[in-house]
Amino acid sequence: MKKILIVFGTRPEAIKMAPLINEFKLHKDKYEVKICVTGQHRELLDQVLDFFEIVPDYDLKLMKSKQDLSQLTAAVIEGMKVIFDAFHADFLFVHGDTTTSTFAALAGYYAGVKICHVEAGLRTYNLDFPFPEEGNRQLTSRLAYLHFTPTVVASSNLLKEGIEPKYISLTGNTIIDALLFASKKIKKNKYPQIEALKSTINSEKPLILVTCHRRENFGQNFENICSALKHIAETNDVQLIYPVHLNPSIHDVAYQVIGDVKNITLIEPLDYPTFVWLMKTVNFIITDSGGIQEEGAALGKSIILMRDCTERPELVASGLVKLVGSNPKRIIDEATTLLKNQNSLQSDAIQSSPYGKGDSAKQILTVLNEHML
Ligand code: UD1
Ligand code: UDP
């Protein structure tokens, strides 16, 4: 029986690893699986653990207010060493490009564990955008044994970097698995959180979803973004609904600068099913998030992307994503254009997606099986 350790620490990692955890549960005869959360996020992570009914075996509880990247990095490496000493894993699964995933991978490498990287191969090849995620994912690719990529472009990035084809597998993105799972659940069950959210929404007006959290957008860029949101809200008969990320560099500024603006509704982060419901409900999305681009596009939503460059070129090519950076005029112009064409933006069905059909977790396990033979 092979020993598997799955580690994650932030909200998006948890959402994208949950389908894999569920898939492993179907194969208890072959794998002994343990789940470790670093607690890089706390409240945001716990919301996801609750929804997907994941009970971690280990929780490093690493989140501290005002912790910088070096302190968090050191804590992840030290914390993970203790886990590897207690559980001698054969394979370690990490996801994407966070501090948790890259430095858990490094600790795993030191412990002689084979690293399996989910959502591998995303690149901008610009170490400043997104920072520090571009550096993180390049480092993880140097350490990984198996690379599970979401798209052909991601696979070809890894091939160009000299990784042997037999270790690269195109499996799609588990975000589609998670989105389908949540969509089914919200159709079947009544969620009081969704009913509560409905009461804050004016269904007569076009609805725009906003999120923002990237480090590149802190400071002046975030002030510019807020001024663009204010302009859109004050010059149109719309409602902007903005679940504000808990990072104080965003949270405190957002409430200070646009907390009282007419037509802007700031709310606390939503649990995953409520957020999926909201994505389905809105006319379009303004964001700098990675995961929300993938989900929003799968739901047929247009997305104004507040970044200077992207590791998801397929979404820009599809026309659904418009890359505008933090330039207020460009944000306002794109929003104005979308508001003019709002009748064409009512879709909420799950569309064909460049990230797969929702069977990525299953495909990852099939590949893992082949590598164990
Ligand atoms: C992290 C990831 C980023 C990912 C994002 C998803 C890194 C370097 N960055 O960025 O790639 O896109 O998560 O959201 O790994 N906080 C809370 N409660 C929470 C979560 C955060 O209070 O549940 C506050 C804390 O003060 C924490 C701060 O936010 O110190 C920043 O969290 P951190 O994980 O360092 O960075 P994110 O900006 O969330
Ligand atoms: N999300 C959520 N509640 C919110 C905002 C986002 O559940 O209030 C989900 C969203 O559906 C997506 C993920 O969180 O799956 C994206 O997380 P985030 O934008 O923080 O990180 P990124 O994807 O940019 O790394």
Side-chain angles (χ1 to χ4, degrees):
M1 174 121 46
K2 290 289 177 192
K3 290 184 169 183
I4 309 289
L5 183 64
I6 302 179
V7 65
F8 51 92
T10 66
R11 170 174 65 193
E13 291 169 87
I15 292 169
K16 290 170 167 180
M17 283 302 216
L20 193 62
I21 292 168
N22 282 340
E23 192 63 33
F24 269 118
K25 281 184 189 153
L26 304 175
H27 298 276
K28 284 188 174 152
D29 53 323
K30 281 202 189 106
Y31 304 105
E32 181 188 356
V33 179
K34 298 260 188 228
I35 295 159
C36 173
V37 296
T38 61
Q40 175 176 337
H41 284 175
R42 189 69 278 161
E43 300 90 325
L44 298 183
L45 176 70
D46 292 346
Q47 283 180 332
V48 184
L49 297 177
D50 283 351
F51 174 64
F52 287 99
E53 297 176 27
I54 297 170
V55 182
D57 299 285
Y58 309 104
D59 186 341
L60 300 180
K61 299 193 169 90
L62 295 186
M63 196 184 86
K64 276 191 197 145
S65 133
K66 308 221 170 95
Q67 182 165 231
D68 66 26
L69 288 173
S70 304
Q71 290 165 326
L72 179 59
T73 296
V76 170
I77 296 173
E78 281 194 347
M80 288 309 301
K81 185 199 164 353
V82 177
I83 308 298
F84 290 121
D85 286 345
F87 181 66
H88 299 281
D90 299 295
F91 295 93
L92 169 71
F93 276 76
V94 298
H95 186 280
D97 49 24
T98 66
T99 299
T100 285
S101 64
T102 300
F103 297 100
L106 183 61
Y109 168 68
Y110 290 159
V113 181
K114 285 197 161 85
I115 314 298
C116 302
H117 189 199
V118 181
E119 199 183 78
L122 268 62
R123 295 288 186 270
T124 60
Y125 290 110
N126 181 337
L127 286 173
D128 295 330
F129 299 100
F131 172 85
E133 289 79 8
E134 178 66 17
N136 283 348
R137 56 201 176 207
Q138 292 197 26
L139 290 170
T140 303
S141 296
R142 300 288 76 78
L143 301 172
Y145 169 67
L146 297 179
H147 309 253
F148 298 105
T149 67
T151 61
V152 178
V153 173
S155 293
S156 80
N157 289 337
L158 295 176
L159 288 168
K160 277 188 263 170
E161 291 173 20
I163 292 167
E164 279 188 63
K166 67 178 175 188
Y167 298 118
I168 302 171
S169 305
L170 173 60
T171 51
N173 196 318
T174 54
I175 191 84
I176 305 296
D177 310 28
L179 182 62
L180 288 173
F181 179 83
S183 295
K184 270 188 208 140
K185 275 210 151 180
I186 58 180
K187 265 193 196 140
K188 232 167 128 190
N189 307 310
K190 247 193 163 4
Y191 283 89
Q193 308 91 302
I194 295 180
E195 299 310 311
L197 183 62
K198 280 182 188 167
S199 68
T200 68
I201 289 175
N202 181 343
S203 56
E204 307 288 301
K205 294 183 180 186
L207 190 61
I208 306 172
L209 169 62
V210 179
T211 80
C212 183
H213 74 279
R214 304 230 80 85
R215 276 178 162 72
E216 308 87 273
N217 280 334
F218 291 178
Q220 187 57 51
N221 282 357
F222 191 56
E223 302 265 346
N224 294 345
I225 287 168
C226 287
S227 77
L229 298 176
K230 187 167 184 285
H231 182 92
I232 295 164
E234 287 179 343
T235 54
N236 295 280
D237 192 22
V238 289
Q239 183 178 6
L240 276 68
I241 185 146
Y242 176 1
V244 185
H245 194 284
L246 295 179
N247 194 322
S249 305
I250 292 290
H251 191 268
D252 300 356
V253 184
Y255 277 90
Q256 230 167 45
V257 180
I258 50 172
D260 294 325
V261 175
K262 179 176 155 243
N263 294 337
I264 297 186
T265 312
L266 299 186
I267 54 175
E268 293 304 299
L270 295 169
D271 61 27
Y272 189 55
T274 311
F275 194 76
V276 168
W277 177 85
L278 183 60
M279 281 191 290
K280 285 171 177 252
T281 307
V282 298
N283 293 75
F284 63 90
I285 300 171
I286 303 178
T287 191
D288 63 1
S289 163
I292 294 168
Q293 285 178 69
E294 294 157 348
E295 295 161 335
L299 295 169
K301 302 292 170 176
S302 288
I303 295 160
I304 299 174
L305 181 59
M306 299 184 293
R307 294 194 188 187
D308 289 321
C309 50
T310 179
E311 60 285 81
R312 294 173 176 83
E314 56 282 348
L315 296 180
V316 178
S318 77
L320 277 178
V321 168
K322 301 277 183 217
L323 202 62
V324 298
S326 57
N327 180 319
K329 182 173 176 327
R330 294 190 60 200
I331 298 171
I332 294 164
D333 287 350
E334 287 299 342
T336 308
T337 306
L338 288 173
L339 282 168
K340 276 193 196 133
N341 299 325
Q342 53 176 290
N343 289 339
S344 61
L345 298 171
Q346 299 299 337
S347 144
D348 77 346
I350 295 185
Q351 326 246 321
S352 82
S353 158
Y355 304 113
K357 298 193 189 75
D359 60 354
S360 295
K362 204 180 172 64
Q363 291 193 48
I364 289 170
L365 253 79
T366 305
V367 174
L368 179 67
N369 245 325
E370 288 162 8
H371 280 268
M372 284 177 9
L373 294 177

